């Protein structure tokens, strides 16, 4: 279970308010129609103090998501980044998770937004490992979901919107009820898409494969990070449509995500993957990734915003 310890302040439309005051009216547009876009961002402990990982890129995706859904946002990327850094300071947090939310608020009650003000909230709290502390070294057992990922021309997969997570909830709940840590959804064509909250990478014969954005995947910031780290390590990587059965004959499979970081998969649909434990390529990428987020890799310092 993801536990959350309340902090003192939440940022709302330009000012700090008390945690318990961050409330919306039940008839806000977002509650009936899922009209929110949001982000999940991590702040890590480094030798130079707490640092937010790829803050600008996350904020860019937040504003892109709002643009796709025609939700007007009056704050710039820089203003939101500054506010998030200030929020961490105000709450006196070191390592934490940041959750910016942009939503359509209280006003008209029809599907067509009318007089629904945009409400921007920024919250943060302390948060541990998403799929469990052991998951990073031991790996997790997952299944292919009976639910298909949102198809093109239905909901835009490139947007990180609240509505998309109804699909994610179905995937995650089904996996959980059947005893798996996570589910992998296929896209509308039956090719591999992604987990309910993670992108996926498949390794075979020393080559890493990951589905392209056209396979209904969220353009993950960790996905992009891993692609760049693989290049720096001279590990070949192909962005390509991947058939389901490729999962079963893979040498290694791993998830990436802000929450899941880089999590190996040891068993898939009750078939052992590789040696049934974290593989060597996964370990190499994980090790570099954790150096990068801890500020131990000078060439990637530009990905860290010090608090
Ligand atoms: C559906 C989905 N795919 C992929 C990801 C990974 O994205 P990121 O690495 O930006 O956290 C997430 C998490 O935000 C997600 O919810």
């Amino acid at each position: 279970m993801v536990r959350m310890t309340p902090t003192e302040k939440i940022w709302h439309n330009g000012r700090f308010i008390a945690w318990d005051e961050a409330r919306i009216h039940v008839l806000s547009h977002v509650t009936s129609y899922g009209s929110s876009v949001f982000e999940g961002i991590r702040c890590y402990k480094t030798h130079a103090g707490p640092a937010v990982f790829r803050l600008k890129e996350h904020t860019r995706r937040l504003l892109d998501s709002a643009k796709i859904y025609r939700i007007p946002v009056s704050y710039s990327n820089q203003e939101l980044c500054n506010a998030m850094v200030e929020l961490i300071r105000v709450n006196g947090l070191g390592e934490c998770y940041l959750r910016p939310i942009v939503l359509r608020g209280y006003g008209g009650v029809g599907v067509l937004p009318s007089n629904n003000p945009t409400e921007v909230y920024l919250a943060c709290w302390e948060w541990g490992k998403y799929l469990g502390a052991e998951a990073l070294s031991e790996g997790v057992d997952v299944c292919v979901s009976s639910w298909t990922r949102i198809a093109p021309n239905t909901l835009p997969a490139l947007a990180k919107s609240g509505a998309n997570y109804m699909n994610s909830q179905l995937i995650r709940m089904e996996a959980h009820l059947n005893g798996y840590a996570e589910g992998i959804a296929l896209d509308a064509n039956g090719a591999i898409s992604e987990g309910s909250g993670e992108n996926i990478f498949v390794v075979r014969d020393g080559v890493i494969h990951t589905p392209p954005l056209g396979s209904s995947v969220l353009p993950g910031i960790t996905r992009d990070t891993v692609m760049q780290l693989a290049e720096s390590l001279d590990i070949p990587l192909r962005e390509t449509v991947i058939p389901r059965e490729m999962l079963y004959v893979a040498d290694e499979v791993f998830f990436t995500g802000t929450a899941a970081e880089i999590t190996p998969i040891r068993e898939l649909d009750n078939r052992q993957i590789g040696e049934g434990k974290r593989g060597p390529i996964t370990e190499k990428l994980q090790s570099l990734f954790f150096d990068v987020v801890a500020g131990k890799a000078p060439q990637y310092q530009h990905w860290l915003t010090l608090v």
Side-chain angles (χ1 to χ4, degrees):
M1 195 174 86
V2 179
R3 286 179 221 285
M4 184 173 58
T5 309
T7 58
E8 206 181 318
K9 298 287 183 195
I10 284 179
W11 185 98
H12 174 224
N13 291 352
R15 63 186 190 97
F16 291 105
I17 58 174
W19 178 276
D20 286 335
E21 278 169 26
R23 300 197 179 112
I24 58 167
H25 195 281
V26 70
L27 291 177
S28 296
H29 196 273
V30 62
T31 53
S32 291
Y33 307 122
S35 40
S36 68
V37 295
F38 68 102
E39 273 303 315
I41 310 171
R42 269 191 198 263
C43 174
Y44 287 93
K45 195 159 57 180
T46 74
H47 295 306
V52 186
F53 185 61
R54 305 200 71 180
L55 179 58
K56 269 202 169 67
E57 292 88 338
H58 277 285
T59 307
R60 182 181 186 205
R61 187 172 65 187
L62 178 74
L63 294 174
D64 284 350
S65 300
K67 188 172 185 189
I68 289 169
Y69 272 104
R70 302 180 189 276
I71 302 177
V73 180
S74 56
Y75 302 100
S76 67
N77 187 310
Q78 193 58 56
E79 285 170 332
L80 292 171
C81 287
N82 292 347
M84 281 187 268
V85 167
E86 193 54 29
L87 178 75
I88 297 170
R89 267 195 219 124
V90 163
N91 284 313
L93 293 181
E95 267 188 315
C96 65
Y97 184 79
L98 278 156
R99 169 59 53 86
I101 307 173
V102 175
L103 60 90
R104 289 196 205 275
Y106 180 69
V109 289
V111 170
L112 179 70
S114 61
N115 296 321
N116 298 103
T118 301
E119 309 285 355
V120 182
Y121 288 91
L122 308 172
C124 64
W125 60 87
E126 278 177 35
W127 201 16
K129 299 301 175 197
Y130 185 58
L131 296 173
E134 276 167 29
L136 294 172
S137 55
E138 302 300 313
V140 289
D141 300 337
V142 309
C143 59
V144 170
S145 183
S146 71
W147 293 101
T148 297
R149 194 77 184 125
I150 42 179
N153 283 345
T154 60
L155 292 168
L158 291 198
K160 190 171 171 72
S161 71
N164 288 3
Y165 284 81
M166 291 301 276
N167 175 257
S168 286
Q169 283 176 59
L170 291 169
I171 296 163
R172 185 73 199 255
M173 289 187 296
E174 181 188 61
H176 177 73
L177 287 170
N178 289 326
Y180 297 99
E182 181 55 292
I184 296 169
L186 305 179
D187 69 12
N189 297 313
I192 298 169
S193 178
E194 61 179 350
S196 75
E198 307 86 8
N199 293 113
I200 192 159
F201 290 77
V202 182
V203 183
R204 183 163 159 111
D205 295 337
V207 180
I208 307 174
H209 303 80
T210 198
L213 296 187
S215 290
S216 296
V217 306
L218 185 77
I221 307 298
T222 323
R223 174 183 183 272
D224 177 72
T225 301
V226 160
M227 289 166 86
Q228 295 196 44
L229 297 184
E231 192 177 355
S232 78
L233 292 168
D234 284 328
I235 307 169
L237 187 146
R238 291 187 199 133
E239 227 179 329
T240 179
V241 172
I242 308 174
R244 171 181 182 162
E245 58 275 24
M246 178 92 170
L247 290 171
Y248 305 135
V249 296
D251 300 323
E252 301 176 41
V253 183
F254 60 88
F255 279 134
T256 66
T258 297
E261 297 168 313
I262 299 177
T263 298
I265 294 171
R266 65 177 174 204
E267 205 176 284
L268 229 155
D269 287 342
N270 302 312
R271 291 169 176 88
Q272 181 178 302
I273 302 302
E275 309 270 296
K277 55 182 191 187
R278 176 175 60 191
I281 290 183
T282 311
E283 194 168 356
K284 243 183 175 172
L285 286 163
Q286 240 189 10
S287 153
L288 179 54
F289 175 80
F290 284 118
D291 277 353
V292 169
V293 298
K296 293 180 189 161
Q299 68 274 37
Y300 296 106
Q301 206 64 38
H302 60 284
W303 281 346
L304 295 170
T305 303
L306 284 172
V307 172

